[in-house]
Amino acid sequence: MTEDKIAVIVLAAGMGTRMKSNLPKVLHPVAGRPMVSHLLATVAALSPERVVVVVGPGMEALERAVAPHPTVVQAERLGTAHAVDQARAALAGFEGTVLVLYGDTPLITENTLRAMLARRAAADAPAVVVLGFTPAAGGEYGRLLLGPRGGLDGIIEYKDASPAQRALPLCNSGVMAVDGGALFGLLDRVGNANAKGEYYLTDIVALARADGRACAVVEGDETELLGVNSRAELAAAEAIVQARLRAAAMANGATLIAPDTVFFSWDTVLGRDVVVEPNVVFGPGVRVGDGVEIRAFCHFTGVSVGAGCSIGPFARLRPGALLGEGVHIGNFVEVKQATVEDGAKINHLSYVGDARVGAGANVGAGTITCNYDGFDKHFTEIGAGAFIGSNSSLVAPVRVGDGATVGAGSVITKNVAPKALAVARGAQMELPAWSERFRARHQKKPDPQ
Ligand code: UD1
Ligand code: MG
């Protein structure tokens, strides 16, 4: 059999009332991106010919998020069969395998989907392949009704099931791979005379069997099939994705001293021999080069860190921080929208934003680039090899030339020439023995009553 073409229908019409949110449920992020985007990325690996997302009314934000994939609006939530039927026009003429996925079940893996497609391609050509699973805690899932030879004869929804059926361990995950040539003909025959008064997609199994078609089950792992209906389940999904990302980071050659305390985004890239100490958070858009040491309690978003850097503890690297190689960023340092070139050091208690720090420059403790005047942002340039003394303010726009020195405690408002020394602070004065006289005068006074 030649490989079947694939189309995908993602059901995402539910607002997710239990989330108690203004955001459609499937837009809630897991590891820094919407759960539906995780699902679409997994599906993309299968190179589907078409992908259609079924949304609810007024979900323009979701439509934008899944673009360029087309969406169809299910005006009324009449059940999963009705939802799938909304994609009928979008899939007109499609004859391959249709994968039906739930937008709120984002953790399913490519391997599992491939196993379902492989089962669809088997000699008995099952009309419907259902992804089953055996939840440890049972639960109110539809139950899979197996025939004497292990084929799938039907699915009974929990609300419609007898006590004996409810006791069956194998449950319906909701994910299906369906013969695209048969799908919409089967849907035409689905009614809603059941406990919920809904059009159940699950009914297509018994209908296909009545037509003499085989149906089959592929078993999946419960952790892949977690459905997110509440904030607590969102947190559970996050935990599963974080566990996967930690395992991948370690498999790729990073050391995580306390993996459970390190949080990644879906797109975090760590090089080889990166060491991450406990309690580090990677927001979206972070790339870390080889051999970087990240000490405890650092926070990164939208940054690139060159090979051999040492970061933290307690550093915050914000969007647009571009660190060259061998840069040192120490404790309580914030860097934003700034290029820090090779070998530069910003080791203590500093804010460097909208700036360039040249190679080998040393930015002393407590240095602040004063980049914002309440209206606009201005740029600070620190030349290669410059030395900024502690507790200096660089009032942007301003430039400190290559190899220049700024004296500690300076407020620099004018450009400093290369190799020059600039000192901009009150001059020190001294009155000999003043303290002694002062104390003596006070000791003569009577105690105030
Ligand atoms: C469904 C299955 C059940 C399975 C369970 C797994 C049916 C009839 N039942 O039940 O066998 O064990 O999932 O979680 O299919 N949706 C729409 N439009 C609708 C109805 C649903 O888009 O009209 C979407 C929902 O947003 C959700 C998914 O389809 O993503 C499943 O709907 P839900 O109501 O949660 O189905 P269950 O009753 O859980
Ligand atoms: Mg459900």
Side-chain angles (χ1 to χ4, degrees), residues 20-67:
K20 302 208 170 83
S21 174
N22 294 331
L23 198 63
K25 175 165 72 174
V26 300
L27 285 185
H28 282 265
V30 171
R33 74 172 163 181
M35 55 177 116
V36 71
S37 305
H38 284 269
L39 190 62
L40 292 173
T42 304
V43 151
L46 305 173
S47 308
E49 195 184 279
R50 302 183 210 183
V51 177
V52 185
V53 182
V54 181
V55 304
M59 292 190 185
E60 290 76 18
L62 177 54
E63 293 178 15
R64 283 193 297 276
V66 304

Side-chain angles (χ1 to χ4, degrees), residues 270-351:
L270 300 188
R272 288 166 77 97
D273 294 316
V274 170
V275 176
V276 184
E277 287 187 358
N279 297 300
V280 172
V281 176
F282 296 95
V286 177
R287 296 185 74 86
V288 177
D290 292 345
V292 171
E293 180 189 29
I294 297 173
R295 302 186 63 195
F297 296 100
C298 288
H299 195 286
F300 299 79
T301 311
V303 309
S304 167
V305 178
C309 290
S310 171
I311 314 291
F314 298 99
R316 179 163 185 219
L317 301 187
R318 293 173 52 204
L322 301 177
L323 312 190
E325 296 189 358
V327 167
H328 285 215
I329 302 288
N331 37 247
F332 306 106
V333 171
E334 175 179 346
V335 180
K336 183 222 75 168
Q337 198 64 47
T339 304
V340 184
E341 295 176 357
D342 295 355
K345 295 192 171 101
I346 313 171
N347 271 333
H348 327 268
L349 300 159
S350 291
Y351 171 68

Side-chain angles (χ1 to χ4, degrees), residues 405-433:
T405 300
V406 168
S410 291
V411 178
I412 298 295
T413 56
K414 290 186 284 214
N415 291 347
V416 180
K419 299 182 186 149
L421 166 68
V423 182
R425 64 185 181 221
Q428 186 167 328
M429 51 88 92
E430 189 166 321
L431 299 177

Side-chain angles (χ1 to χ4, degrees), residues 138-165:
E140 298 194 356
Y141 295 102
R143 291 317 201 252
L144 301 188
L145 308 176
L146 301 183
R149 279 174 298 167
L152 182 63
D153 279 346
I155 305 176
I156 182 85
E157 285 304 283
Y158 189 84
K159 280 217 162 123
D160 299 276
S162 67
Q165 289 169 326

Side-chain angles (χ1 to χ4, degrees), residues 11-14 25 54 74 76-80 82-83 102-104 140-142 155 157 171-174 196 198-202 229:
L11 303 190
K25 175 165 72 174
V54 181
Q74 184 190 24
E76 261 188 298
R77 269 181 112 249
L78 301 180
T80 45
H82 180 258
Y102 293 173
D104 60 3
E140 298 194 356
Y141 295 102
I155 305 176
E157 285 304 283
C171 291
N172 174 29
S173 70
K196 282 190 172 174
E198 284 187 5
Y199 296 89
Y200 292 162
L201 180 63
T202 44
N229 301 293

Side-chain angles (χ1 to χ4, degrees), residues 13 78 95 118 153 245 257 400:
L78 301 180
E95 295 262 309
D153 279 346
L245 292 169
I257 291 172
V400 177

